[in-house]
Amino acid sequence: MPSIPFFDGHNDTLLKLLEAEGDPTQLFMDGMDKADIDLPRARAAGMAGGFFAIFPPPLKGNLGSVVAGAGNNRGGLPAELGLADAQAVTLDMASILMRIERAGGVAICRDAAAVRAAIAQGTLASVLHIEGAEAIDTDFRALDVLYAAGLRSIGLVWSRANAFGTGVPFRYPSDADIGPGLSDAGKALVRECNDRGIMIDLSHLNAAGFRDVATISDKPLVATHSNVHAISAHARNLVDWQLAAIAESQGVVGLNFATGFLRPDGKMRVDTEIEVMVRHIDALVEALGEDGVALGSDFDGAMVPAPIGDVTGVPKLLQALLDKGYGEALVRKIALENWLSMIDRCIG
């Protein structure tokens, strides 16, 4: 297997730790069988760092029913989440990451220099991300606090509506052309993010909202964990005009490992081969160029192909790219360097 370090554009490990029995810090530091990422396996795999997502589910401890309902490829959007509930679970997950940092498991990085320094020191570089901005009030007081805590990346929505915009349903076959664009508060949040150096994540956002971000934002367009709609016609995947817009902005798309977004039949099945992941990367490289493709696994938040399994399987994907004829320099870009470049351009 190649010894190529990689940076992951999206994981839900903080939620997995929140819902686990036992001390979250110890579980992450020592190992957790029921998670896709913990510190021992991250080190063994060559994981250099990643965006660690805070995702507030509709009810704390109820993610399983949310995914089961949203992931049936038939339903609409889950119900909106109240500000107080979202803030409570957001603080819980932010606290988990801070405690892991105090234990020496990660470094919470607030700029590109800190990410590079952590990687050079062999510490897992963590960029704090919010997947769905329900915890942020429209006066942005919570944004002030979260930014001070290290928040440097925001997905405006998850697959539901909130005060800022509308997400896409977990539906196949479908596309993201559903619902209205960003609210006035959503447009203001985009400008705030640009001003503060917070990366905006377009994954989960509907088509009208995507267009609004592309019009308003002066930063590269980023979808941290999305795939190619032409291969898998899922609402969560990117159609040609979206890929063209990301390419024009010199943005990045992180490959999502979720089987339902990879497979041409849209089914969530573990018996999904690495070859289909390579097909998506081929298409992304063709659409975005060598500097526009990265990894965004969705570990601990999705069913991933059995040959990958967990974070220790990422080197198998990198080897598959090498076997396909991708040069080592390009594989290093996809694995690590393209995210470092994007963090430098969006966060500073």
Side-chain angles (χ1 to χ4, degrees):
M1 293 294 170
S3 57
I4 296 174
F6 63 90
F7 196 94
D8 186 20
H10 186 88
N11 70 66
D12 287 296
T13 304
L14 293 177
L15 182 62
K16 183 74 73 171
L17 291 167
L18 178 70
E19 297 189 330
E21 294 183 5
D23 176 66
T25 302
Q26 184 176 359
L27 288 170
F28 185 81
M29 297 293 292
D30 297 341
M32 180 179 173
D33 291 340
K34 294 183 180 180
D36 293 330
I37 297 175
D38 55 35
L39 186 59
R41 281 180 289 168
R43 286 174 170 166
M47 183 177 180
F51 290 86
F52 280 68
I54 291 174
F55 163 59
L59 292 173
K60 181 178 176 181
N62 198 32
L63 180 61
S65 63
V66 176
V67 173
N72 60 16
N73 290 335
R74 299 187 302 272
L77 299 176
E80 294 186 35
L81 181 63
L83 178 65
D85 289 336
Q87 287 183 344
V89 73
T90 294
L91 292 176
D92 282 347
M93 282 187 270
S95 173
I96 289 172
L97 191 63
M98 291 174 177
R99 293 179 184 194
I100 291 171
E101 181 182 46
R102 289 202 298 272
V106 303
I108 299 175
C109 300
R110 292 166 170 79
D111 55 36
V115 171
R116 288 186 170 88
I119 293 172
Q121 294 165 7
T123 303
L124 197 63
S126 171
V127 179
L128 186 59
H129 168 81
I130 282 183
E131 183 177 28
E134 283 84 354
I136 298 173
D137 57 283
T138 54
D139 292 323
F140 304 138
R141 294 185 180 93
L143 184 62
D144 292 335
V145 176
L146 291 167
Y147 181 84
L151 179 68
R152 293 297 184 272
S153 177
I154 294 177
L156 303 179
V157 297
W158 180 66
S159 287
R160 61 187 165 208
N162 62 24
F164 305 106
T166 301
V168 295
F170 286 72
R171 186 183 298 160
Y172 172 96
S174 184
D175 60 29
D177 194 5
I178 176 176
L182 299 184
S183 66
D184 289 343
K187 294 174 183 178
L189 180 56
V190 171
R191 297 186 183 98
E192 285 284 333
C193 288
N194 281 177
D195 290 345
R196 295 172 189 247
I198 300 174
M199 192 180 80
I200 299 166
D201 179 15
L202 297 165
S203 292
H204 288 281
L205 187 62
N206 68 350
F210 186 109
R211 289 189 174 96
D212 285 339
V213 174
T215 299
I216 298 166
S217 179
D218 59 11
K219 300 292 185 179
L221 301 178
V222 178
T224 63
H225 58 304
S226 294
N227 293 336
V228 179
H229 193 273
I231 298 174
S232 178
H234 200 288
R236 275 280 284 105
N237 288 339
L238 300 165
V239 298
D240 289 347
W241 70 261
Q242 292 174 308
L243 291 170
I246 293 170
E248 184 177 359
S249 76
Q250 297 183 310
V252 162
V253 174
L255 177 78
N256 193 318
F257 294 8
T259 58
F261 309 151
L262 288 168
R263 296 172 61 96
D265 61 9
K267 294 181 178 179
M268 292 189 292
R269 294 179 51 157
V270 295
D271 58 339
T272 299
E273 298 301 322
I274 291 177
E275 185 276 334
V276 73
M277 304 173 77
V278 175
R279 284 182 59 196
H280 281 272
I281 290 178
D282 286 343
L284 288 171
V285 170
E286 182 176 355
L288 305 173
E290 294 186 358
D291 298 331
V293 187
L295 304 179
S297 70
D298 217 349
F299 279 138
D300 287 315
M303 178 185 294
V304 304
I308 299 294
D310 59 25
V311 67
T312 60
V314 174
K316 297 179 184 177
L317 172 61
L318 303 182
Q319 183 63 56
L321 295 176
L322 293 170
D323 293 343
K324 181 73 183 291
Y326 282 56
E328 184 174 337
L330 176 52
V331 175
R332 287 184 178 275
K333 281 188 173 185
I334 293 169
L336 175 66
E337 294 167 8
N338 289 343
W339 272 133
L340 296 183
S341 172
M342 187 54 54
I343 291 168
D344 191 46
R345 288 182 284 153
C346 287
I347 297 173

